[in-house]
């Protein structure tokens, strides 16, 4: 199923790729990518000959009905791994454990260090827990990846994609084996994560913002609420003046 989906995506969208030679023909590796769109997890595997496993919300695999079964089959077909992310720290530990298991099988593990999609196309601070801990626990190389224009293909909230040609830039592998066994040191985790994010920034050309994307989303939501409140108050003032 992976190949049929990947072939369809390549035929329909013709994604361009740079640095494909940086993906090893065999053996474990971590693909650390920026995250612009829901479709990122489909375009990256589509251009590779090897299977890439990403973490996905367990809800995608457990929804009832025919639609739920089709959704589950689709996500399994493109290499998504279900993890229950509703339990806070426990959910993070489950994701890390799953990533380590994928790499121990000699496979490719895909991860988004930002932790969520960018709300505005900029690159946000990487979360140190997942990426760095998996890299240091396994010794697997980290390959930085930049998705280009995927947010234009399928903007957040849009179901029907636009026929825009996206791109993928794949950087050279980063070796962090010098830190192996030090995954309990938060300063090392931060350093590893920042080094990866810097490489992603160079590949993507995105503006870097030194806050977490989750915090940025809250700020955007709060600003939207404040603006809506101001508009509502202005409308009430106009009505009161007209009476």
């Amino acid at each position: 199923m992976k190949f049929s989906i990947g072939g369809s995506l390549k035929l329909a969208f013709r994604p361009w790729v740079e640095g494909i030679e940086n993906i090893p023909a065999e053996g474990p590796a971590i693909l650390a990518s920026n995250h612009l769109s829901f479709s990122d997890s489909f375009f990256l595997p589509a251009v590779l000959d090897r299977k890439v496993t990403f973490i996905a919300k367990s809800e995608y695999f457990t929804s009832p009905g025919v639609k739920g079964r089709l959704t589950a089959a689709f996500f399994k077909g493109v290499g998504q791994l279900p993890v229950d992310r509703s339990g806070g720290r426990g959910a993070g530990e489950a994701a890390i454990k799953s990533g380590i298991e994928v790499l121990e099988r000699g496979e490719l593990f895909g991860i988004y260090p930002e932790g969520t999609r960018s709300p505005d196309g900029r690159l946000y601070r990487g979360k140190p827990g997942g990426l760095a801990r998996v890299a240091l626990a396994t010794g697997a190389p980290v390959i930085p990846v930049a998705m280009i224009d995927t947010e234009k293909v399928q903007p957040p909230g849009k179901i029907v994609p636009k026929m825009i040609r996206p791109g993928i830039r794949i950087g050279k592998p980063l070796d962090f084996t010098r830190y192996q066994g030090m995954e309990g040191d938060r300063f090392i985790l931060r350093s590893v994560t920042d080094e990866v994010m810097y490489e992603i920034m160079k590949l993507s050309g995105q503006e870097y913002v030194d806050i977490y994307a989750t915090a940025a989303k809250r700020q955007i939501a709060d600003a939207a609420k404040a603006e809506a409140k101001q508009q509502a108050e202005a409308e009430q003032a106009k009505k009161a003046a007209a009476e």
Side-chain angles (χ1 to χ4, degrees), residues 5 11 16 53 64 89 123 158 163 182 201 209 213 243:
I5 294 173
L11 181 63
W16 56 265
T53 299
R89 182 174 176 82
L123 184 68
K158 300 295 183 181
M163 301 308 293
M182 301 175 69
M201 181 186 70
V209 185
E243 292 176 355

Side-chain angles (χ1 to χ4, degrees), residues 38-55:
F38 174 79
S39 61
D40 292 336
S41 299
F42 307 141
F43 280 114
L44 180 56
V47 302
L48 303 180
D49 293 331
R50 297 182 61 186
K51 175 185 175 182
V52 184
T53 299
F54 284 89
I55 297 298

Side-chain angles (χ1 to χ4, degrees), residues 1-17:
M1 185 174 181
K2 186 266 184 189
F3 294 103
S4 62
I5 294 173
S8 298
L9 284 174
K10 286 195 289 186
L11 181 63
F13 293 94
R14 300 181 298 113
W16 56 265
V17 188

